[in-house]
Every structure is written in structure tokens, then in C-alpha cells.
Amino acid sequence: MSSVSDRPPVAHHRPSNESLRDRLPDFPWDKLEPYKKTAAAHPGGIVDLSVGTPVDPVPELIQKALVDAADSPGYPTVWGTPALRDAITGWVERRLGARDVTHRHVLPIVGSKELVAWLPTQLGLGPGDKVAFPRLAYPTYEVGARLARAEYEAYEDPTELDPAGLKLLWLNSPSNPTGKVLSKADLTRIVAWAREHGVLVVSDECYLELGWEADPVSVLHPDVNGGSYDGLVAVHSLSKRSNLAGYRAAFLAGDPAVLGPLLEIRKHGGMMTSAPTQAAVVAALGDDEHVRVQRERYAARRTVLREALLGAGFRIEHSEASLYLWATRDESCWTTVAHLAERGVLVAPGDFYGPAGETFVRVALTATDERVQTAVDRLRA
């Protein structure tokens, strides 16, 4: 019998040298901090138009629904209550023109950002698989691919991509940051191409109810998908339309063959929307009036900011929808950021959204009427 000293040493399993953090780019907003300090030092205070976070009140009927559901001691379900699924299916049919939507076609999520970041992982993608997203895009599409160790590619026209290994195609219409809207014809063409090559299309439509000079269309519309949801998932959020960013309320709608396995994975991961939030979403999706009122607020802010930017020598491209103006003075975006920061106005540099944005800035409409007017006055000075 061997002695203890003769036995091989026990292997101590240490984490890999590559952490999750190592797979990620530097957090872009940290680069904006010096300019934020400059803007905050302005005698009249900062006007922060850099982040699209709602500032207007949560509508009372939604607050009431949340409060009424406050006594919720039990665990909520990942799939949500039947009332929540009814509210989602009803809204998808009423607002998006979708047909024959059942509970199997919908899935609540804990805000849209977590879904974007973790969807490639939850789909089982990894090395050798490819994720594609627009050339100018929300940075979290790339983050999601990196977290899954998948490859990624930015596109101008997705139908020009090499479909080999392409497993997930992100669409974003209306676009963040540009506000560009894909036409019904473009969506139809892209969906047909993706189906031909067996590529899953996930369409981020979180700004769909905020069309100004265009009427955004969902991939769930039968004119786009031919009456079939095969290979299609749409992402929708209540953050912007209902001022519910603080509630983390969003949902998916589309192909049950995709959503079913996602539901099972998310059950294991405990990705549950809180019960009071579920009740609030039911109230929010059942009421169109508060959306109309909020649209009017944003429309008024958009009008005065657009005029002020144009008057100050900016050119605005796209921006026919969403909560942003995509503006340029044909110079480095950081030069523009610094110029505006000296005037107490903070905006987002376009290169946060890809190299193609290096001469643009994204100007958010999400500030109070008073702060927007302050920005307008400073732009005109």
C-alpha cells in the first residue's frame, strides 16, 4: 500500500486565465466621463443628451397596477402569467398586424439588453458560429457574440454576407443610433434570404412606436413573413414607449421553435420578470393613450432640437424614427463632443456604435422640456 506521500498531488482547479471580462471591449461610456465633467461645470448645469433614458413620469395607470400587485410573496414564472401572455399576444396582433399569435409565440424577458447580451449563449452558439449586426449598431450585439466566443461581422446589407456559419442575424429597425427605418420591401427581401440560408433573424424593434417621418414595420407582419413566423423573432421593450426603463420590461414574439427552448433555458437560469412588473406590463400594453401622449412630448422635443442643430451648422442623417438625432459637422465625433460639452451639452460620440460613426454624434430626445430648451438656447448662442 502506498503512503500518502507517494500519491500524486491533488490538482487544484483554477479559473481560466481568460475571464468573461477579458472577452469584452472597454465599456465605452467610461470614455465620456471627462466631457461629462466639463458639461457639468457649465454655469447653467449640464444638459445630458447622451443616454436614451426616459425622464418623464411612469403613467399613473401603470404605477397603480404595480402597487396593486405589490403583495406578491411567491415566485413569478419565467413565462409570465396567462394575463401577461394575453396582453402581449393582443398587442402584437393589434399594433404590429401579426396574425394567429398564441401564447407559444411569446416570451417575457427581463428588459431587452440582457436578452441581446445573452441570446447567442442561450442559443448555444460558440466558436465557429457567426453573429451579424448592422454596421452602425447598439454595442451589445457585439458583446453578446463575444460572451459566447462566437465570431461576429458588421454589415451594410445583410444579404451580401457569406451565410456559411452565420447562425444569428440581428436587424434593428428603427435603428439605434441612426433612426433609420427598413422598408417593408427590404425586410421582406432580408427575411427571404435568411430563410433560404437557414439563418435565424432576430429583429430588435424596441423603437417601433416612435416613427416620425416613416412608419416602421415589424418582421411579424404577414406582408413581410408571408404569414409564417419560421426563423423569426422580434424583440420589443416598454422602456421607451411607456417610460418603464426602471421596471425592466420587455418581451419576444415569433417562432415557437426558437422561443420554446429559450423558455426552458431561462427557467434554469431563473430569468423571471417580477410579479408586480408583469402586472404593470399588462396595464401598459392595454392602453394606447399614454403612448400617444409620450409620443407628442418626444415629437415636440425633436422639432426644436432638430431646428437648433441645423441652425448651428449640423447636418442630420436618417433620424426618421427612434429617440435620437444622428448629427454631424463632418469632423471627428470627439471634436464635436468637446465643442458641445463646453456649452454644457453632453452627447454620445458616434464611434461608440462602430467606426462608421466616427464623424457623427447621437443626440437623445430624453431630457425634460426645460433641459431641452436650455440646450436649444445654448446651440443658438
Side-chain angles (χ1 to χ4, degrees):
M1 180 180 293
S2 63
S3 68
V4 172
S5 61
D6 294 331
R7 296 173 189 167
V10 175
H12 294 283
H13 295 284
R14 301 181 185 276
S16 164
N17 287 335
E18 186 208 35
S19 68
L20 275 177
R21 173 64 189 86
D22 293 332
R23 294 184 216 161
L24 302 180
D26 291 335
F27 190 62
W29 295 97
D30 291 343
K31 293 171 62 179
L32 203 55
E33 279 303 312
Y35 302 91
K36 187 173 185 177
K37 289 179 181 176
T38 297
H42 192 279
I46 189 173
V47 179
D48 192 344
L49 304 179
S50 67
V51 185
T53 185
V55 298
D56 299 304
V58 173
E60 286 188 13
L61 84 159
I62 300 175
Q63 293 190 47
K64 183 177 186 304
L66 185 85
V67 171
D68 288 348
D71 186 14
S72 297
Y75 288 110
T77 64
V78 173
W79 202 19
T81 62
L84 175 59
R85 283 177 262 139
D86 282 344
I88 295 172
T89 57
W91 182 86
V92 165
E93 292 191 341
R94 183 180 80 251
R95 182 61 186 84
L96 305 183
R99 298 175 185 165
D100 302 319
V101 181
T102 71
H103 286 193
R104 293 174 56 249
H105 292 90
V106 301
L107 178 62
I109 55 178
V110 191
S112 58
K113 185 169 185 175
E114 66 88 354
L115 183 281
V116 173
W118 292 107
L119 182 61
T121 299
Q122 292 175 6
L123 290 172
L125 305 190
D129 298 322
K130 188 167 63 180
V131 176
F133 45 79
R135 186 172 62 102
L136 284 164
Y138 186 47
T140 312
Y141 302 132
E142 178 183 327
V143 166
R146 286 175 176 246
L147 286 171
R149 292 194 176 95
E151 298 171 15
Y152 54 89
E153 184 175 352
Y155 64 78
E156 185 67 43
D157 180 341
T159 65
E160 295 176 357
L161 291 165
D162 179 355
L166 180 59
K167 299 296 177 66
L168 171 59
L169 173 61
W170 282 107
L171 302 182
N172 181 208
S173 176
S175 162
N176 174 15
T178 69
K180 181 180 179 180
V181 173
L182 292 173
S183 69
K184 187 181 289 185
D186 279 337
L187 286 171
T188 303
R189 175 176 60 85
I190 293 166
V191 166
W193 178 88
R195 284 175 166 169
E196 178 185 351
H197 297 289
V199 177
L200 173 64
V201 173
V202 181
S203 181
D204 181 345
E205 302 174 353
C206 290
Y207 295 90
L208 185 136
E209 292 201 283
L210 296 167
W212 312 116
E213 296 159 2
D215 188 13
V217 179
S218 172
V219 295
L220 302 182
H221 195 287
D223 289 353
V224 171
N225 60 40
S228 166
Y229 302 118
D230 290 351
L232 300 177
V233 175
V235 184
H236 284 271
S237 167
L238 285 86
S239 293
K240 309 303 195 282
R241 74 184 291 278
S242 300
N243 299 333
L244 295 191
Y247 284 45
R248 310 315 301 134
F251 60 88
L252 305 178
D255 190 348
V258 177
L259 299 189
L262 279 180
L263 172 60
E264 295 305 313
I265 291 165
R266 293 172 68 85
K267 284 180 180 177
H268 284 291
M271 293 180 169
M272 301 171 282
T273 304
S274 75
T277 296
Q278 291 188 31
V281 171
V282 172
L285 292 179
D287 178 72
D288 294 330
E289 177 60 17
H290 78 275
V291 180
R292 185 193 65 77
V293 170
Q294 189 60 44
R295 274 181 54 87
E296 288 185 355
R297 290 189 185 118
Y298 285 136
R301 293 166 187 164
R302 179 180 183 272
T303 296
V304 295
L305 272 174
R306 184 184 181 93
E307 290 175 356
L309 286 165
L310 293 172
F314 285 84
R315 186 177 76 256
I316 295 173
E317 291 192 1
H318 302 302
S319 307
E320 59 258 33
S322 84
L323 284 180
Y324 312 104
L325 293 169
W326 188 237
T328 181
R329 299 199 310 173
D330 296 309
E331 63 188 8
S332 163
C333 59
W334 289 100
T335 300
T336 306
V337 168
H339 168 79
L340 292 173
E342 291 290 345
R343 287 152 182 79
V345 178
L346 189 68
V347 297
D351 66 2
F352 277 10
Y353 308 95
E358 63 184 3
T359 61
F360 285 81
V361 292
R362 193 193 72 170
V363 184
L365 309 179
T366 49
T368 63
D369 292 345
E370 181 273 329
R371 288 284 88 187
V372 167
Q373 187 57 52
T374 298
V376 167
D377 293 342
R378 293 175 185 177
L379 286 165
R380 287 174 176 166

